[in-house]
Amino acid sequence: MFANAMEKTTETTFFFDEFEIDFLKRKLLKRGRIIHLKPKTFDLLLTLVERRGEVLSKNDLLDLVWANQFVEENNLTVHVAALRKALGERKGEHRFIVTVPGRGYRFVGELNVLNENEVVIESQKISRFTIEEQEEKRSAAQPDWLKTHRLAVGLITTILLLVVGIGGYVWYNRRKTNVLAASSVQNFSIKRLTTDGRATNAALSPDGKLFVYSHLDGADQSLWLGHVDGGAPVQLRPPAPIKYFGVKFTPDASSIYYALGDEQSREAIYKIPVFGGASEKIEDDVYNIAFAPDGRRFAFVRSDSARNKNILIVADAEGKNEIELAVSPDKMNFVRQSVAWSPDGSTIAVGASKNEASTSYGIFTVNVADGSIKALTTQDWSIITTAAWLADGSGLIAIAQKKDSLRKQLWFVAYPSGEVQHLITDLNIYGTIALAANQNALLTIQVQAQSNIWIAPVNDLSRAKQITFGSFGRMDGGYGVEWTADGRIVYTAEIDGNNTIWKMNSDGSEPKQLIPSDGNNSYPSLTADNRFVVFESNRTGKYAVWRANSDGSDLRQLTDADVAAQPHVSPDGRWIIYVSNYENSGELWRVSSSGGEPLKLADGASWARISPDSRFVACGYDIDGGTKIAILSIEGGEPIKLFDVPRLANLRLGVRWTPDGKAVTYRDWTNGIWRQDLDGGEPHRLKGLPNEKLYAYNWSSDGKWFAFTRGGEIRDVVLINNFR
């Protein structure tokens, strides 16, 4: 299942806390003193460290550490216990190795890695200076005085190198991560506050001592309060079939406000005492709030469907006396979760789209006195999710995504200049942020994502086998899996933050990049005769539908609209359908596969797919304030059929037809894939698939095989200290 981890390691030394692992000498040291481990215990440690962040099942570890050997499971338990003892973990502690109930083990220590030619700290690389090479190039042009005083210069150089070396050694062993902020290199540390990978929203108290977070419990969510300095968290609200959209401490830290939604109501904001108690509903139709510095008012964004605008509203802390402070300008919309109220109370910052197609975003400021709106940044992001002010008002920390990347990351935005700095460049995704009043602590959700492709015989989906083996940061199949007519697989692979399109054999062998790397390339689909592949790409700066031959040649852009996304080609090769919003619902269009004038089929559609006979379209369809599955004619018109969907239905990545055209399928946010028969009845899950969230999937052209993408996100609350 896995390649043997011992075969992949190069000349590497790992550091975490007070420990050092020397791979070449196969030694574990604590403050320089050797800690004696049995050979297999050392192999177990190295495996966990090399795959840090991953949850490794018992079978995974047996395959990796005891490859080609028959070993009983209790042998692994003995070595895990011995390793914990060697690392000084007491009973109930999880400083380095976490047991994830029902899943396996995960290494969570803050790790630094030293390779021969580079230093890697938390996935970031800092190149070493190659002084020897520089000196060799300069030797031929040395001036006479340097030749004359070579001995003195050599002595001085040696002393300088010694000083630099000692300084570098001291710096390295501080185990800090470097970051560029406000034009200077700063050292910071990351402390993990949760360790089970299931945190969602989070907030930090103004004094930096407490944090609150929502937690995934299967299909439910709960609310918890924790202490930054450690200790068991306290449950504030039990698991329930709801979703938390935002959590906030009041400025005096006496209460917590949280927004949630359920099946019976739209989003609403609630208030609860900071250490628990009865919840109080404050206001309906509120998604996320930002408090004024005195805590007497809060601001939020509400959508006004009648005016097709987003409104920035200010209300008192009890949700009364609402005032419309600003209306989103024409062809723009405010981002609901991005509102941030400045420390001096005079300004509210908010993310907003900069065009009607919502493909470009920036940060704007709204004057609290008169509601005037002004652009703060000239930076164009593909999305902004949230922002928070520094306590001195000198700028904001925002979570945004570059146009050439798929990862939402941390940015510093200076105020009032609007100068932008990328805080961290790594393989992680970040969500929600909060700052302590001392400005030295930043709390965020750090997300590590991974996906791989599996295939199974259609008559027994439980016999699935894994065919790709990417590590964290590489999402094989995350944005599309398609079968060719000759039984190969076309799929997406996220590499260096961008999506690329590849082709491989059905056993995972001979992977080959199909579409040249340029921008993000997603959601491939193929004609039944394997003549060409159609996909979405922003390689020219905007999202458009592209077509190429099945070997990747003759690359063509087929659409000129501001946004053309989520494409699908009809099996007969005549038509391509797409929507006018690259991520959500929009207008559904049809265009010839040769290009030309498009025809609008419907409004409020998303993730559409054409039936096997090329006559119908299945899609998400906005109607009566909700989303249903619609069956449309490829010629357009009113829906032929409409189907309700379960509470956790997830239409993203496409509403797929079964090979016989008698049913449509779609994903669930937490568990497997739903099937809806066109003859009616309740939807039911496909049997035999893993009891977990799945991603892209599809049937082979002969209907005998089923490919699907398994993956996961490890989402933990982390505290970044000294980030400025």
Side-chain angles (χ1 to χ4, degrees):
M1 187 173 167
F2 289 96
N4 192 314
M6 302 306 109
E7 297 174 358
K8 299 193 306 177
T9 307
T10 57
E11 295 187 17
T12 302
T13 302
F14 298 101
F15 296 87
F16 60 96
D17 200 69
E18 55 200 354
F19 294 96
E20 173 185 344
I21 303 173
D22 188 323
F23 170 74
L24 286 180
K25 297 180 180 178
R26 292 183 58 82
K27 291 181 180 179
L28 172 67
L29 299 94
K30 180 178 181 180
R31 300 195 188 104
R33 298 183 62 183
I34 296 176
I35 304 296
H36 295 285
L37 296 176
K38 293 181 178 179
K40 285 302 179 185
T41 306
F42 182 86
D43 290 344
L44 174 63
L45 172 61
L46 193 61
T47 300
L48 289 167
V49 166
E50 285 191 315
R51 296 177 178 270
R52 52 198 175 275
E54 297 184 43
V55 178
L56 298 176
S57 70
K58 293 180 179 179
N59 287 336
D60 294 339
L61 289 170
L62 290 173
D63 288 343
L64 287 163
V65 180
W66 287 273
N68 303 317
Q69 301 179 47
F70 178 78
V71 180
E72 294 185 1
E73 189 176 293
N74 63 354
N75 201 350
L76 171 62
T77 305
V78 170
H79 284 280
V80 170
L83 183 55
R84 282 184 162 144
K85 182 178 180 181
L87 296 177
E89 286 192 348
R90 299 175 183 174
K91 186 175 181 179
E93 280 189 340
H94 302 290
R95 294 172 59 204
F96 308 116
I97 301 172
V98 170
T99 301
V100 182
R103 298 177 65 192
Y105 301 98
R106 179 158 65 101
F107 184 86
V108 297
E110 183 182 337
L111 192 67
N112 304 324
V113 184
L114 176 64
N115 288 325
E116 182 179 4
N117 293 316
E118 64 184 8
V119 177
V120 181
I121 302 178
E122 290 294 279
S123 302
Q124 298 189 63
K125 297 184 178 181
I126 302 101
S127 298
R128 286 184 172 179
F129 291 106
T130 309
I131 298 174
E132 294 82 357
E133 181 181 352
Q134 294 172 353
E135 289 300 319
E136 181 180 348
K137 291 179 179 178
R138 294 173 185 167
S139 61
Q142 288 178 350
D144 291 340
W145 69 266
L146 181 57
K147 295 177 181 178
T148 305
H149 299 86
R150 184 182 301 274
L151 181 60
V153 172
L155 180 60
I156 293 172
T157 302
T158 301
I159 293 172
L160 287 174
L161 289 175
L162 183 60
V163 170
V164 171
I166 294 172
Y169 180 82
V170 172
W171 165 83
Y172 178 72
N173 281 281
R174 290 177 65 188
R175 297 181 301 277
K176 304 283 187 175
T177 306
N178 284 356
V179 63
L180 180 64
S183 301
S184 63
V185 177
Q186 306 271 333
N187 292 324
F188 67 84
S189 64
I190 298 179
K191 180 179 181 180
R192 196 175 298 272
L193 301 182
T194 63
T195 57
D196 69 354
R198 297 176 182 270
T200 54
N201 293 279
L204 184 66
S205 63
D207 62 7
K209 295 180 179 179
L210 300 173
F211 68 102
V212 61
Y213 64 99
S214 50
H215 184 268
L216 290 171
D217 299 274
D220 298 340
Q221 291 192 21
S222 54
L223 190 67
W224 296 77
L225 180 73
H227 290 264
V228 169
D229 291 336
V234 176
Q235 187 179 89
L236 300 179
R237 285 178 53 86
I242 55 179
K243 183 176 181 180
Y244 290 88
F245 294 102
V247 289
K248 291 282 168 54
F249 283 90
T250 55
D252 64 1
S254 64
S255 300
I256 295 167
Y257 280 57
Y258 59 90
L260 58 80
D262 57 28
E263 291 182 282
Q264 285 73 43
S265 66
R266 303 175 72 179
E267 298 95 355
I269 196 81
Y270 294 79
K271 175 183 178 182
I272 190 173
V274 71
F275 291 109
S279 293
E280 174 187 356
K281 188 175 183 179
I282 300 297
E283 181 69 358
D284 284 316
D285 198 14
V286 178
Y287 182 84
N288 188 59
I289 65 169
F291 277 105
D294 60 8
R296 297 171 62 184
R297 295 177 294 169
F298 59 73
F300 62 94
V301 170
R302 177 179 288 153
S303 297
D304 187 329
S305 57
R307 288 186 280 177
N308 195 27
K309 297 286 186 182
N310 279 359
I311 317 298
L312 179 62
I313 296 173
V314 173
D316 62 34
E318 303 306 316
K320 310 299 181 184
N321 303 314
E322 290 186 1
I323 299 173
E324 289 191 4
L325 182 61
V327 178
S328 58
D330 289 342
K331 300 183 179 181
M332 292 175 56
N333 262 318
F334 296 137
V335 179
R336 291 194 296 170
Q337 62 267 45
S338 67
V339 182
W341 205 315
S342 67
D344 65 5
S346 66
T347 305
I348 295 175
V350 60
S353 60
K354 300 166 80 171
N355 56 27
E356 191 172 16
S358 297
T359 58
S360 181
Y361 285 79
I363 295 179
F364 294 76
T365 57
V366 179
N367 188 302
V368 175
D370 59 17
S372 58
I373 303 172
K374 184 185 298 184
L376 174 60
T377 60
T378 58
Q379 174 83 27
D380 284 333
W381 290 292
S382 62
I383 193 64
I384 292 173
T385 58
T386 187
W389 284 87
L390 297 173
D392 62 4
S394 62
L396 303 97
I397 305 297
I399 293 179
Q401 181 177 304
K402 292 171 62 179
K403 287 193 171 182
D404 61 352
S405 174
L406 294 171
R407 303 183 188 283
K408 299 179 181 70
Q409 298 207 311
L410 295 166
W411 298 76
F412 169 73
V413 180
Y415 182 81
S417 71
E419 181 183 355
V420 171
Q421 296 282 348
H422 200 165
L423 282 182
I424 300 177
T425 303
D426 59 12
L427 297 179
N428 297 316
I429 303 167
Y430 293 88
T432 74
I433 47 176
L435 298 167
N438 64 12
Q439 302 197 148
N440 287 324
L442 183 156
L443 180 135
T444 184
I445 301 286
Q446 188 182 71
V447 185
Q448 294 177 309
Q450 177 192 34
S451 64
N452 284 293
I453 300 172
W454 295 60
I455 65 167
V458 168
N459 58 7
D460 188 358
L461 297 182
S462 65
R463 291 169 51 201
K465 63 177 182 179
Q466 186 175 351
I467 61 171
T468 69
F469 299 89
S471 58
F472 271 96
R474 179 181 168 113
M475 301 287 289
D476 286 344
Y479 291 82
V481 172
E482 296 286 324
W483 289 85
T484 65
D486 58 359
R488 302 184 73 192
I489 294 176
V490 171
Y491 64 103
T492 62
E494 186 180 336
I495 300 175
D496 296 330
N498 291 326
N499 261 342
T500 55
I501 296 178
W502 293 63
K503 183 189 287 187
M504 65 180 171
N505 295 329
S506 60
D507 61 359
S509 63
E510 299 183 20
K512 179 182 178 181
Q513 188 167 345
L514 185 63
I515 302 299
S517 297
D518 197 359
N520 285 316
N521 306 279
S522 307
Y523 317 124
S525 64
L526 293 92
T527 55
D529 61 4
N530 213 34
R531 192 161 79 251
F532 52 74
V533 57
V534 170
F535 59 97
E536 165 192 310
S537 178
N538 66 344
R539 59 202 306 117
T540 60
K542 65 180 182 181
Y543 283 92
V545 176
W546 289 73
R547 194 195 79 186
N549 293 334
S550 60
D551 62 358
S553 63
D554 193 22
L555 194 61
R556 299 184 187 182
Q557 182 176 337
L558 299 182
T559 59
D560 294 319
D562 288 338
V563 174
Q566 305 172 22
H568 190 250
V569 62
S570 60
D572 63 12
R574 292 184 60 200
W575 304 111
I576 297 169
I577 56 174
Y578 62 90
V579 299
S580 59
N581 188 314
Y582 82 99
E583 187 64 26
N584 301 309
S585 296
E587 298 168 332
L588 178 64
W589 295 82
R590 187 195 75 192
V591 69
S592 167
S593 58
S594 300
E597 193 67 24
L599 171 70
K600 188 166 81 167
L601 300 181
D603 289 308
S606 62
W607 302 109
R609 293 294 184 270
I610 302 173
S611 61
D613 61 7
S614 301
R615 297 173 54 202
F616 302 100
V617 175
C619 63
Y621 192 77
D622 290 350
I623 186 171
D624 299 331
T627 299
K628 297 187 178 184
I629 298 295
I631 307 299
L632 309 170
S633 168
I634 191 69
E635 303 298 329
E638 293 298 312
I640 299 170
K641 292 186 178 184
L642 288 170
F643 299 99
D644 292 326
V645 296
R647 178 174 67 91
L648 293 176
N650 182 359
L651 307 186
R652 190 175 179 280
L653 299 179
V655 180
R656 292 282 183 185
W657 293 80
T658 55
D660 60 9
K662 295 181 179 180
V664 293
T665 61
Y666 49 87
R667 301 187 301 135
D668 187 86
W669 275 108
T670 61
N671 180 13
I673 296 169
W674 293 94
R675 172 188 168 117
Q676 173 65 64
D677 293 322
L678 296 189
D679 290 339
E682 295 295 318
H684 58 275
R685 287 187 173 92
L686 298 183
K687 295 180 179 179
L689 291 172
N691 184 18
E692 62 187 57
K693 180 179 178 179
L694 303 178
Y695 294 85
Y697 64 92
N698 204 358
W699 286 265
S700 61
S701 55
D702 61 9
K704 296 181 179 179
W705 292 92
F706 184 75
F708 62 96
T709 305
R710 295 181 70 175
E713 294 180 344
I714 294 176
R715 307 174 58 93
D716 279 316
V717 183
V718 298
L719 189 70
I720 304 176
N721 287 302
N722 302 316
F723 68 95
R724 294 199 71 201

